[in-house]
Amino acid sequence: MIVGSQKSIDEIWNMVQDFKKVLVFGCNTCVAICHAGGEKEAETIAMLLRMRAGQEGKAMEVNHMGVMRHCEPEYFDPVIDEVKKFDLVLSTACGVGVNFLSDRTGNVPVYPGINTSFYGAVEAPGNFVELCAGCGNCILHLTGGICPIARCSKTLMNGPCGGTNKGKCEISPDVDCAWYLIVERMKKLGALEKLSEILPPRNWSTSRDGGPRRVSVEHIREYEEKEEQKSEK
Ligand code: SF4
Ligand code: SF4
């Protein structure tokens, strides 16, 4: 899931204060789980903005709404005409949702209501941890299922570094050393010798450079085309 955290109401107010008709638009999937951007949070932000507008003596209409995902047209297409009636959409989706929606709202700007943090998991109730950096060339089969890119503070491909200390990373005694975890996991899997294999230099071309990355899934496209043709008959 994508993990994020809500922007402060002061920051949001500074972004939206000059608009007359604002829609706080929630996204009810990933960012709802971390209570950053679901419809409930959108409702709360809308209420706080109305209060703030009242305090500042500004005439501002603030509504809220939510859909399952801002990153798939099938969820927001049914409400897009409604959305376009506002002067501003404050999206509480992740940055993906804000980008995607922004391309589809014509003259209506879409502003971010949350800060998108990382791809992570629920470690414990209320605790979210980063586990993947979306490098586009997964090597978890070589590292016991523990990602050195997201979880090692230096993104080392050959660890641990000299800073490792009793299983903790040199940046903080509260942070596990990813490479310590990898070594321990590989021991447990009876595959420690795999870490001694000499590997070719990593190909980083799939990672964060060279413009936006795309994944194309042929069978989904074919299926959708067939369904569309069927519905046209
Ligand atoms: S190796 Fe890449 S794709 Fe795999 S978990 Fe790490 S960052 Fe994510
Ligand atoms: S101590 Fe471990 S996690 Fe920290 S930078 Fe070194 S190898 Fe990476």
Side-chain angles (χ1 to χ4, degrees):
M1 62 186 273
I2 295 179
V3 179
S5 56
Q6 210 170 91
K7 286 182 179 290
S8 74
I9 202 69
D10 285 342
E11 187 180 351
I12 292 175
W13 176 252
N14 286 338
M15 287 192 283
V16 309
Q17 60 179 317
D18 293 328
F19 292 88
K20 296 271 176 273
K21 215 172 165 216
V22 176
L23 174 68
V24 187
F25 195 20
C27 181
N28 284 325
T29 307
C30 311
V31 290
I33 294 170
C34 53
H35 290 199
E39 192 169 350
K40 268 194 198 149
E41 289 74 27
E43 185 178 7
T44 307
I45 294 172
M47 187 189 69
L48 291 171
L49 288 178
R50 278 192 293 270
M51 283 168 57
R52 187 68 173 261
Q55 285 165 355
E56 308 269 340
K58 296 235 181 198
M60 181 189 278
E61 180 188 330
V62 187
N63 288 8
H64 79 275
M65 189 195 291
V67 292
M68 191 51 80
R69 283 198 271 286
H70 286 202
C71 54
E72 276 191 66
E74 68 173 289
Y75 294 105
F76 63 74
D77 273 353
V79 296
I80 196 73
D81 289 338
E82 199 54 37
V83 168
K84 285 182 182 172
K85 289 179 187 161
F86 290 81
D87 300 333
L88 172 74
V89 178
L90 180 80
S91 164
T92 59
C94 69
V96 175
V98 176
N99 272 268
F100 202 60
L101 197 60
S102 196
D103 280 345
R104 288 156 179 83
T105 52
N107 295 335
V108 181
V110 183
Y111 285 2
I114 74 166
N115 295 316
T116 305
S117 306
F118 51 74
Y119 309 143
V122 186
E123 197 174 39
N127 272 349
F128 301 88
V129 61
E130 182 174 18
L131 296 177
C132 169
C135 76
N137 184 10
C138 197
I139 50 149
L140 288 180
H141 58 299
L142 302 174
T143 57
I146 295 163
C147 176
I149 298 165
R151 298 174 70 178
C152 167
S153 309
K154 295 174 186 160
T155 306
L156 293 178
M157 301 309 294
N158 287 304
C161 71
T164 190
N165 187 8
K166 298 188 181 116
K168 299 296 174 187
C169 174
E170 65 177 315
I171 65 158
S172 163
D174 298 328
V175 175
D176 289 329
C177 167
W179 273 100
Y180 173 84
L181 296 177
I182 291 169
V183 169
E184 290 304 305
R185 182 72 183 142
M186 291 300 265
K187 270 190 211 164
K188 207 167 182 175
L189 295 173
L192 191 59
E193 74 290 347
K194 274 194 156 193
L195 291 180
S196 307
E197 285 173 17
I198 307 291
L199 301 173
R202 182 176 162 77
N203 176 3
W204 287 99
S205 66
T206 57
S207 199
R208 257 311 318 134
D209 47 29
R213 296 171 286 175
R214 283 195 162 74
V215 172
S216 185
V217 185
E218 197 66 34
H219 66 265
I220 297 180
R221 286 217 313 272
E222 283 172 5
Y223 175 81
E224 292 295 337
E225 274 169 23
K226 277 184 198 152
E227 289 297 299
E228 214 169 291
Q229 284 162 6
K230 268 194 229 163
S231 67
E232 281 167 5
K233 280 180 191 166

